[in-house]
């Protein structure tokens, strides 16, 4: 039971981490180049998934749609963390689990990459790496101490 006489915890920068992580993943997914293709040049995810012809490198795209859905879930959890900072520990666990959904694409990508003996990893652009790094950071944020 919650004591109504107890003051509410102050918002700290850690309470906004979910919102920040989610917004970076969403922006990277929508706007940053995902791969540098030989003829088409820097291509976003929307361009790569548009048609078979627009995916010159044959990049694995199955399941890539889970990334924005997971990022939206992380965003909602981040907003919940700001509204109810007392639940910060539980919310950070849920954010880490949702961050695993972002990495599901990369796990499948690497499995396909190895199976095909592909060599295009050097052509992956900033969007690919930002989404991967921020997906890992979303999982790792559970290790940050909360008050």
């Amino acid at each position: 039971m919650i004591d109504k006489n107890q003051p509410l915890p102050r918002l700290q920068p850690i309470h906004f981490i979910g919102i920040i992580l989610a917004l970076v993943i969403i922006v990277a997914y929508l706007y940053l180049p995902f791969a540098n293709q030989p003829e088409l040049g820097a291509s976003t995810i929307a361009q790569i998934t548009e048609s078979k012809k627009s995916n010159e490198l044959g990049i694995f795209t199955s399941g890539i749609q889970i990334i924005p859905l997971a990022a939206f879930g992380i965003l909602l959890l981040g907003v919940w963390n700001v509204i109810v900072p007392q639940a910060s520990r539980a919310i950070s666990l849920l954010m880490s689990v949702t961050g695993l959904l972002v990495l599901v694409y990369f796990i499948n990508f690497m499995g396909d990459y190895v199976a095909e003996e592909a060599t295009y990893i050097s052509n992956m652009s900033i969007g690919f790496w930002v989404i991967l790094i921020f997906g890992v950071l979303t999982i790792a944020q559970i290790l940050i101490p909360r008050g």
Side-chain angles (χ1 to χ4, degrees):
M1 185 172 240
I2 298 174
D3 183 11
K4 294 187 183 205
N5 296 329
Q6 203 173 35
L8 291 174
R10 280 189 21 208
L11 281 179
Q12 299 173 349
I14 189 68
H15 294 121
F16 295 93
I17 195 162
I19 295 171
I20 294 166
L21 291 167
L23 290 177
V24 170
I25 292 170
I26 291 169
V27 167
Y29 182 88
L30 293 175
Y31 301 112
L32 292 180
F34 196 72
N36 290 314
Q37 301 192 78
E39 298 205 12
L40 296 174
S43 303
T44 63
I45 292 174
Q47 293 167 326
I48 292 170
T49 58
E50 184 179 356
S51 69
K52 286 258 187 210
K53 291 179 184 176
S54 62
N55 190 354
E56 294 174 357
L57 297 173
I59 296 169
F60 181 79
T61 57
S62 294
I64 202 166
Q65 299 82 2
I66 194 115
I67 294 172
L69 296 175
F72 184 68
I74 295 165
L75 180 64
L76 291 177
L77 289 167
V79 170
W80 182 25
N81 200 21
V82 170
I83 294 171
V84 187
Q86 306 92 300
S88 189
R89 285 303 307 153
I91 294 170
S92 72
L93 175 65
L94 292 172
M95 269 193 260
S96 289
V97 171
T98 310
L100 284 172
L101 292 175
V102 173
L103 291 189
V104 163
Y105 168 74
F106 292 97
I107 293 167
N108 290 332
F109 173 88
M110 291 312 273
D112 185 64
Y113 185 82
V114 169
E116 289 184 3
E117 297 178 8
T119 59
Y120 55 76
I121 198 78
S122 63
N123 291 11
M124 302 315 290
S125 196
I126 188 78
F128 177 88
W129 299 110
V130 167
I131 295 170
L132 175 60
I133 290 167
F134 276 79
V136 171
L137 287 175
T138 302
I139 295 168
Q141 59 77 35
I142 196 167
L143 302 173
I144 299 172
R146 295 187 167 55

